Amino acid sequence: AAVAMTDRAGRLICANDAFKTMFGGFAAPPGLPLDEAGVEALGRAARAAWRDGRGVAERLRAGPRILAAAVTRSGEEGDVLVWRFTADGEHDLAETVATLLDDEHGDRLGEAGIMAALMSSD
């Protein structure tokens, strides 16, 4: 996945090489080379992430590619957005596992005496 981090002011803090390859450089989301609808969708996803902790934008058109973006508020003070871009329709296993562990499925595992942990670099 292409991953980038932005601060509260919308400045790009860092991004991986996949992000550079996918977008032809290091522009800060939502100002990526997408069509107007895609830029607007990323803006809505960013606002949702600041408000709710998470936002999603799907069916983003970047040239011939169709992408999806998951935006998560992160950082010790909740002052960073983490942007994950994948080809729309690709399955993000880490995101699925995190979602499952954070709801009733994770509760059932705990009740059965099974401990699970999902760690990331942050």
Side-chain angles (χ1 to χ4, degrees), residues 97-117:
V97 170
T99 301
L100 289 173
L101 289 177
D102 197 34
D103 69 7
E104 64 189 48
H105 298 91
D107 293 341
R108 286 190 201 143
L109 288 172
E111 291 169 3
I114 299 170
M115 184 174 90

Side-chain angles (χ1 to χ4, degrees), residues 4-6 10-12 14-15 19-20 23-33 85:
M5 295 174 65
T6 57
R11 294 178 297 236
L12 188 67
C14 64
F19 182 88
K20 180 182 178 185
F23 297 110
F26 291 110
L32 297 172
F85 295 89

Side-chain angles (χ1 to χ4, degrees), residues 7 10 20 46 61 96 98 108 112 117 122:
D7 64 11
K20 180 182 178 185
R61 187 167 299 282
T96 300
R108 286 190 201 143
D122 62 343

